[in-house]
Amino acid sequence: MPARFELHGFAYSGPTYKVALALSLMGEPFDYVHVNMMQGEHKQPSHLSRQRYGQVPLLLDHNNGRHLCQSAAILEYLADMTGRFGGADLDERLRVREWMYWDFDRLAAPLYKARVVKAGFRQAAPEVVDDCIQAARNALGVLESHLAGRAWLVGEGVTVADIDIYGVAVFAGEAGIELADYPQLKAWTTRIEALPGYKARTELLPMASRAAA
Ligand SMILES: N[C@@H](CCC(=O)N[C@@H](CS)C(=O)NCC(=O)O)C(=O)O
């Protein structure tokens, strides 16, 4: 029997990992569909009919036929559906949302770009990569200050803001940034990695489709 959730993604994709990690931490099994981005499957009509941006991830909820795009929006949806990691009250939910908007503006865009160039998936002039690394460092500095004296980004418990931003910060090394330079941030990643259901990207995202266990 198919799982409730079906995640379409690409093994190397940070945004796909955010969603897979959220599902895993929420204890929600999911069927995984490998989208072969090397062959342009994300631009084919069958994908575009459910993912208007021509990107991964795409999440299907078979309980109600919804298909969802944009990892941050998907995380909020999953928090609503499972009642987990959404924040304790409206004020926390608002803070969670702020962090996730900030993430894609200030952290994810430059850090992911430096990472894909260093991995050889894309090309960019060295000065462009340097600019990305500097912008990502600035954003990591914001997180480092915020995490001083607190365990989680919002409130007293883990939220989808932590999951969202972990799904970027964990790739700092691949972008050429040493996370050990940010001790508060490093300690926070260790806390996330100790949560029940935590799994690394390589465990959650194979290079082939996989049914839920
Ligand atoms: N803001 C989007 C970004 C998704 C994204 O950039 N996905 C990449 C793979 S990691 C992609 O599909 N790139 C192909 C493209 O944009 O054409 C999210 O968080 O879901």
Side-chain angles (χ1 to χ4, degrees):
M1 186 177 155
R4 172 177 179 180
F5 294 109
E6 182 178 308
L7 175 61
H8 294 230
F10 182 64
Y12 189 77
S13 160
T16 304
Y17 176 52
K18 293 178 182 192
V19 176
L21 178 59
L23 287 163
S24 186
L25 292 171
M26 289 165 179
E28 290 287 342
F30 62 93
D31 294 323
Y32 179 67
V33 177
H34 168 67
V35 178
N36 191 334
M37 296 185 75
M38 302 305 178
Q39 293 185 0
E41 278 181 12
H42 55 308
K43 302 299 180 192
Q44 294 305 308
S46 59
H47 187 75
L48 288 169
S49 67
R50 293 178 295 190
Q51 222 290 5
R52 63 173 62 84
Y53 309 107
Q55 294 182 314
V56 293
L58 159 69
L59 185 76
L60 308 189
D61 182 344
H62 291 303
N63 273 14
N64 50 39
R66 285 195 176 97
H67 44 90
L68 299 118
C69 331
Q70 293 295 331
S71 58
I74 296 172
L75 295 192
E76 282 201 293
Y77 177 74
L78 290 174
D80 281 350
M81 287 296 119
T82 63
R84 300 197 64 196
F85 308 138
D89 54 27
L90 177 62
D91 287 309
E92 286 197 12
R93 291 174 70 80
L94 292 170
R95 296 290 95 72
V96 164
R97 198 170 293 154
E98 278 177 16
W99 277 112
M100 296 203 294
Y101 287 169
W102 173 86
D103 169 39
F104 237 91
D105 180 28
R106 295 294 159 138
L107 178 65
L111 195 149
Y112 283 162
K113 185 164 181 180
R115 174 178 179 245
V116 294
V117 172
K118 283 184 184 287
F121 285 113
R122 277 169 62 182
Q123 294 193 324
E127 55 272 27
V128 172
V129 179
D130 289 347
D131 278 353
C132 286
I133 290 174
Q134 190 51 55
R137 280 191 178 285
N138 292 344
L140 293 172
V142 170
L143 289 169
E144 179 71 5
S145 303
H146 181 72
L147 286 167
R150 55 168 66 237
W152 307 107
L153 288 172
V154 176
E156 301 302 319
V158 62
T159 67
V160 285
D162 297 285
I163 300 168
D164 178 73
I165 290 179
Y166 175 85
V168 184
V170 71
F171 301 117
E174 295 176 31
I177 301 170
E178 189 50 70
L179 213 51
D181 293 346
Y182 304 88
Q184 304 290 344
L185 198 51
K186 181 81 185 116
W188 166 82
T189 63
T190 304
R191 283 192 286 280
I192 291 179
E193 288 158 10
L195 291 170
Y198 171 84
K199 289 195 172 109
R201 177 186 66 82
T202 47
E203 286 178 90
L204 284 173
L205 303 179
M207 279 297 282
S209 297
R210 178 169 74 189

